[in-house]
Amino acid sequence: LPDATPATIATGLGVMADWAGGMLLESKEIDKERGIILSELRDRDGAGLRQARARYGADYAGTVIGDRLPIGISETISAASRDLIASYYAAFYRPERMVMVVVGAIDPAAVVAQLKTSVGTVVARGDIVPVPSLGKLTLTETPVVHTHADPEADDTNVQMVRVMPMTR
């Protein structure tokens, strides 16, 4: 936000509250955004994107991340109906799954009060559903080498990866 005045913070929190629980998800807006996303996919389609997909496929094999980038795939984006998007929004944009972080030159008590009257009023729009499986990484004892050659690539990347359990 451009400043930390109560009015500016209230506006920002109002936008966050709309994203969290008040989106209208109008069909014409979804179709417009769908066109933008498909255009981004077409514009980025090249050696760099193919290399990223190959790298993620190797680094995150066995998981959703290894199968597709966050932007998605054109077939899914093209076929997603307004009802499907609305059901996803209702199932996963829920108060108990949200975290709000506010950082800056603020009065914490005042911002907490503003949060309670804006984002704090968001209610679940549908039944909670189980989180789908995201897959499971395969742990490796030694580094694994994967190769991907792309005749249009203008650079070479070398990467050795070892997937191990996180220790603390």
Side-chain angles (χ1 to χ4, degrees), residues 7-22:
T8 301
I9 292 172
T11 299
L13 293 176
V15 170
M16 297 301 291
D18 280 349
W19 289 342

Side-chain angles (χ1 to χ4, degrees), residues 14-133:
V15 170
M16 297 301 291
D18 280 349
W19 289 342
M23 294 183 74
L24 299 176
L25 300 170
E26 296 175 342
S27 294
K28 68 177 185 168
E29 295 300 321
I30 289 172
D31 289 339
K32 186 166 62 170
E33 188 63 26
R34 180 191 330 273
I36 292 168
I37 295 168
L38 291 170
S39 176
E40 287 177 9
L41 275 172
R42 281 189 303 273
D43 289 348
R44 294 177 185 168
D45 190 21
L49 184 61
R50 290 189 296 271
Q51 287 176 316
R53 284 187 175 132
R55 186 178 68 246
Y56 288 168
D59 290 351
Y60 304 105
T63 72
V64 172
I65 297 168
D67 292 337
R68 70 169 191 271
L69 296 177
I71 195 169
I73 57 174
S74 59
E75 295 81 11
T76 302
I77 296 163
S78 296
S81 68
R82 189 259 176 222
D83 289 343
L84 177 68
I85 293 168
S87 68
Y88 179 89
Y89 180 70
F92 292 99
Y93 281 68
R94 309 177 54 79
E96 68 271 16
R97 290 188 170 155
M98 295 180 189
V99 174
M100 176 67 70
V101 177
V102 179
V103 177
I106 59 165
D107 173 358
V111 172
V112 167
Q114 287 180 293
L115 279 165
K116 288 179 180 177
T117 61
S118 59
V119 183
T121 62
V122 172
V123 296
R125 297 177 109 188
D127 296 332
I128 193 165
V129 298
V131 176
S133 172

